[in-house]
Amino acid sequence: MATALGDEGTARGARRGDALGRWINHHPLAALSLAVIVIFCLWLILAPWPQGFEDWFGRKRLFINALFNGITLGGLYFLVAAGFTLIFGLMRNVNLAHGSLYLFGGYMGYEAGVWTGSWLLSFVVAFLCCAIVGAAMQILIFRRMEGQDLRQTLVTLGLSIVFADLMVWVWGGNAIQIDTPDYLTGPVPTPIVVALKPSGDAIFLQYPRVRLVIFAAAVLIGIGMWLALHRTRIGMMIRAGVDDRDMLSVLGYRVQLLFVLVFAFGAGLAGMAGIVGGTFQSISLGEDSHFLLASLVVVIVGGMGSIPGAALGALIIGLSEQFGLVYFQNYATVATFVIMVVVLALRPQGLLGRR
Amino acid sequence: MALSDTGTARRPIGLEGDAFSRWLSQHSPTLLLGLLLVLLPAAATDFVLDQIVGWTLVLGMIALSLMFLAGYGGMVSLVQMTVAGLAGYSITVLGASSLPSISLFWPWWVAAPLAILIAVAFGTLAGALSARTEGIYTIMITLALASAFFYLTLQNWSIFNGFNGFTSVPAPIFLGVNWKSPVPLYYLILFCAGLSYVAVLYVSRAPFGIALQGARDNPRRMEAIGFNVMAHRIAAYAFAAVIAAVGGILLVWLNNQISPGTAGIQATIDLLVIAVVGGLGHPIGAFIGAFIYVILRTFALDALVAVGLDGRRFQTIIGLGFLVIVLFSPDGVIGIWRRWLARAASSRRGIGR
């Protein structure tokens, strides 16, 4: 059955004569195995598993939960990493304080939530607070040392040390959980069969509503960023700046203003991600380096300065973390880094990166 | 690279005329410092020997390996603390510790070389991975590798004993000396630190070091005149890893324990702070940075409390100090010292005229 579908795909692709069809014609074996893998994955997700397979591989409920957790975690990682990769792509600034901005956004969002009682409003507050800090960093510090990559990076490192310590001072070392608003609490039924009752009825997966909503929001933000980058004037300027900053500035565009805007936006995204992280898990001391690290790995795997790359990298890293947690606890993070090392060895510029 | 334009390559290499006395006068501060360090156990307490000077020398050695890569190779590798940590863990697992279920209790002369070998293999591999990419990417990749190792040690209980790590990792007894006791351990550390300092100085002026500095300043040109830049960089990583690995073993022996925090993200960043604050222009910078760091870490808490501030804000002091150095003297304390010397010399000349 798999073979038949694969062949059918080849034929259809060839008739259309598009890029996919050409690729399939040139690599029939690769296309066939890809089709088999896709069908196998669809079967894994949609069909109830036979008893023997469950005995060997573990319960389906675990697998599906890891899958959903991985994808939604990928959404969170994308929110953090998108700003990071945008800032790096445009300004060549490895912002090692990005994790601190994430944490700061989480704390500010928590405070705003406590004061106003509105979860949505806290996103605005976190975005604004982090955007202001980010813009201040760009205007006060990085503007003075343009073109000195290493020095800028060292400054962000020093800032992250100071920020981390100041945040411990203000908010202490305890984990803070941001409450999910009432209209988003509770599970949502999904049409995915997890198991069969002895009577033969299917048990469907119930998944937390808030995680699905946030994932949808992350996807929307990603699409929005892509559209803004490819369909607007500012986006065009940013893409031109990524390719050749000096040329853009010679042409008379206000590159410095662009830098401040992008830095503020990237920092603001990290701040909003802080609230998401505080709702998904919790925010505490040490989360800054965790998310800094996550964004590093995401952009290394996905490709520096590329938004689709950040999305792909975030998905891969989110999935590998969650599956690692379920299937090999002792080496969960190692799986993530094996992926990173393999990508670096085969494609040093990242999966979707350009040289 | 802005941080390392004060390399030693430009110094005169050949010695002519009354070579010995010129060498003596040129190196008198170093020799004096060395003599002081050798004689120190006669005057200092065990606390000063181990907790201040011992720590300074060991951290200085590990920072030295970072300084070598960053200063001469232009590669800011954050993986050096991890290399040290891996060496420390290896000697704990292969040698003796308080956990007989994990440690293999091999004799030190098997465990120590193997530990160094493992760590150097890891360091070289990490170097080969990050040397494929240019410049600023190195920081990102090595930071990610360092954090990977940290999380691995934190999560893995079968080899690294997770959060707890290992305690009671004694320095061995050999040549009839118990190297665990403070004075012999101090001399062991001093010997290794001195040797690695001299080795780095030597290599920086040897053809290999000169070629490495050439690759730092203009890799394309070095490639064009026939140097294999990639091979030089990977060899530099291997050389630095040897120093870091020895430093890691000494760190465990000095500390008598090892845990994930030893090579954690904080420690990795602290090491970079040490190297940058000291200055990446000269090997002595690593030790100066380590000395400042150890003094701050040991006494800042009391000093902060004494002036009425919260002693727990130690990290803020470290971070602010680091920022001040990076913002105002990118070549570290050495840079301040050199500028001060130059100003003194020029003003003297001004008076003479």
Side-chain angles (χ1 to χ4, degrees):
Chain A
M1 171 199 163
T3 324
L5 261 177
D7 289 342
E8 200 182 296
T10 316
R12 207 190 311 132
R15 232 178 295 129
R16 276 213 311 254
D18 53 6
L20 183 68
R22 245 177 291 134
W23 184 80
I24 290 173
N25 273 340
H26 283 272
H27 309 271
L29 266 181
L32 185 66
S33 38
L34 195 71
V36 171
I37 291 172
V38 166
I39 288 165
F40 180 67
C41 288
L42 282 179
W43 176 81
L44 270 182
I45 295 167
L46 296 177
W49 292 3
Q51 190 58 47
F53 190 70
E54 280 210 339
D55 290 343
W56 173 70
F57 197 69
R59 307 262 310 276
K60 189 185 176 189
R61 186 186 296 276
L62 273 180
F63 173 82
I64 290 290
N65 262 319
L67 181 73
F68 270 65
N69 285 342
I71 291 175
T72 46
L73 186 66
L76 171 58
Y77 282 168
F78 171 73
L79 286 181
V80 188
F84 185 84
T85 199
L86 208 57
I87 291 172
F88 178 80
L90 187 63
M91 285 164 264
R92 300 282 129 184
N93 181 343
V94 179
N95 182 13
L96 295 180
H98 205 69
S100 313
L101 288 169
Y102 163 89
L103 197 56
F104 180 65
Y107 281 129
M108 290 317 286
Y110 169 77
E111 294 293 340
V114 169
W115 275 91
T116 63
S118 163
W119 188 65
L120 286 177
L121 199 65
S122 66
F123 278 93
V124 180
V125 172
F127 184 89
L128 286 179
C129 289
C130 285
I132 289 169
V133 173
M137 276 160 67
Q138 172 63 25
I139 293 172
L140 296 178
I141 303 174
F142 301 127
R143 187 174 281 184
R144 289 160 200 271
M145 42 179 81
E146 225 181 290
Q148 304 176 18
D149 298 350
L150 182 61
R151 224 171 132 201
Q152 290 193 351
T153 306
L154 292 177
V155 168
T156 60
L157 187 73
L159 286 176
S160 76
I161 297 174
V162 175
F163 286 166
D165 203 45
L166 292 181
M167 282 190 283
V168 173
W169 191 13
V170 176
W171 285 285
N174 292 335
I176 287 177
Q177 170 93 41
I178 296 175
D179 293 330
T180 313
D182 290 337
Y183 50 89
L184 286 178
T185 44
V188 168
T190 59
I192 291 174
V193 181
V194 178
L196 294 178
K197 280 183 199 159
S199 61
D201 294 344
I203 305 171
F204 292 103
L205 173 75
Q206 307 267 324
Y207 201 73
R209 188 189 303 263
V210 62
R211 291 189 79 115
L212 290 176
V213 169
I214 285 175
F215 177 70
V219 170
L220 279 182
I221 289 179
I223 294 174
M225 278 173 76
W226 193 87
L227 285 177
L229 274 178
H230 289 262
R231 295 280 182 273
T232 66
R233 197 176 159 72
I234 285 208
M236 202 162 67
M237 281 163 66
I238 292 174
R239 280 185 297 137
V242 169
D243 284 347
D244 195 331
R245 187 165 60 179
D246 298 337
M247 203 53 177
L248 185 70
S249 125
V250 165
L251 289 175
Y253 290 99
R254 297 167 68 186
V255 178
Q256 289 302 333
L257 184 67
L258 195 66
F259 284 3
V260 173
L261 283 181
V262 168
F263 212 108
F265 178 74
L269 263 190
M272 295 207 314
I275 300 179
V276 174
T279 316
F280 272 19
Q281 305 152 350
S282 61
I283 39 175
S284 64
L285 178 69
E287 285 296 291
D288 49 348
S289 44
H290 172 196
F291 274 86
L292 169 66
L293 173 70
S295 18
L296 282 179
V297 179
V298 164
V299 300
I300 290 172
V301 169
M304 321 269 180
S306 150
I307 297 290
L312 181 67
L315 197 63
I316 292 175
I317 299 307
L319 282 173
S320 91
E321 262 188 26
Q322 290 299 318
F323 277 113
L325 222 58
V326 172
Y327 291 106
F328 22 88
Q329 278 110 356
N330 251 346
Y331 298 94
T333 48
V334 180
T336 310
F337 287 96
V338 168
I339 292 175
M340 188 188 95
V341 167
V342 168
V343 167
L344 273 178
L346 298 179
R347 239 183 110 80
Q349 71 271 39
L351 289 177
L352 299 183
R354 281 183 303 166
R355 266 272 143 121
Chain B
M1 181 167 296
L3 277 164
S4 50
D5 47 14
T6 48
T8 51
R10 266 166 269 137
R11 281 197 192 170
I13 296 164
L15 299 169
E16 302 123 26
D18 193 4
F20 182 70
S21 70
R22 268 182 59 181
W23 182 84
L24 212 61
S25 69
Q26 204 170 22
H27 292 272
S28 54
T30 321
L31 292 174
L32 215 67
L33 184 68
L35 195 68
L36 191 75
L37 284 173
V38 170
L39 295 178
L40 189 68
T45 59
D46 286 353
F47 172 79
V48 172
L49 270 191
D50 280 359
Q51 293 305 313
I52 308 279
V53 186
W55 262 99
T56 300
L57 291 174
V58 170
L59 279 179
M61 270 179 82
I62 306 172
L64 181 66
S65 77
L66 169 57
M67 176 271 145
F68 175 76
L69 287 174
Y72 298 129
M75 303 172 285
V76 183
S77 157
L78 294 182
V79 90
Q80 298 315 111
M81 196 69 214
T82 308
V83 172
L86 184 60
Y89 267 112
S90 301
I91 197 146
T92 321
V93 172
L94 299 174
S97 80
S98 60
L99 272 178
S101 55
I102 295 178
S103 287
L104 298 170
F105 289 96
W106 291 353
W108 71 271
W109 46 269
V110 180
L114 257 181
I116 294 177
L117 207 66
I118 293 172
V120 168
F122 172 78
T124 313
L125 217 66
L129 266 181
S130 50
R132 289 169 61 97
T133 54
E134 283 279 321
I136 208 74
Y137 292 68
T138 308
I139 288 192
M140 303 174 61
I141 291 164
T142 50
L143 180 58
L145 287 173
S147 326
F149 181 76
F150 169 64
Y151 285 114
L152 173 67
T153 54
L154 206 58
Q155 284 180 353
N156 184 291
W157 290 84
S158 52
I159 301 174
F160 297 104
N161 199 33
F163 182 74
N164 295 336
F166 298 85
T167 52
S168 311
V169 196
I173 299 173
F174 61 94
L175 300 174
V177 180
N178 181 5
W179 296 94
K180 214 170 84 179
S181 50
V183 174
L185 185 61
Y186 171 77
Y187 276 119
L188 183 67
I189 291 172
L190 183 62
F191 174 74
C192 293
L195 198 65
S196 47
Y197 174 73
V198 172
V200 167
L201 263 188
Y202 173 76
V203 168
S204 74
R205 294 166 194 184
F208 168 70
I210 304 283
L212 190 67
Q213 290 165 61
R216 169 197 74 197
D217 295 335
N218 197 337
R220 219 183 244 182
R221 191 162 170 185
M222 291 302 282
E223 201 83 72
I225 43 180
F227 284 93
N228 187 342
V229 169
M230 184 78 165
H232 275 78
R233 287 184 174 157
I234 295 176
Y237 270 102
F239 174 69
V242 175
I243 297 175
V246 175
I249 291 176
L250 293 174
L251 185 68
V252 175
W253 284 349
L254 178 67
N255 221 355
N256 208 17
Q257 61 97 26
I258 188 164
S259 59
T262 308
I265 298 171
Q266 184 71 55
T268 299
I269 288 175
D270 283 350
L271 194 74
L272 181 63
V273 171
I274 287 173
V276 170
V277 165
L280 297 174
H282 190 273
I284 199 69
F287 293 99
I288 294 176
F291 184 66
I292 296 173
Y293 175 80
V294 170
I295 290 289
L296 268 181
R297 194 188 55 183
T298 316
F299 299 111
L301 206 146
D302 296 330
L304 279 177
V305 172
V307 293
L309 286 168
D310 193 339
R312 287 169 299 177
R313 297 285 73 77
F314 165 65
Q315 280 295 336
T316 306
I317 304 285
I318 293 270
L320 285 177
F322 177 68
L323 274 179
V324 167
I325 288 281
V326 172
L327 288 174
F328 300 107
S329 173
D331 38 4
V333 174
I334 302 183
I336 299 176
W337 171 247
R338 277 185 180 154
R339 272 194 296 278
W340 186 75
L341 275 186
R343 197 172 304 158
S346 72
S347 73
R348 238 198 335 266
R349 241 178 285 130
I351 292 165
R353 217 179 285 147

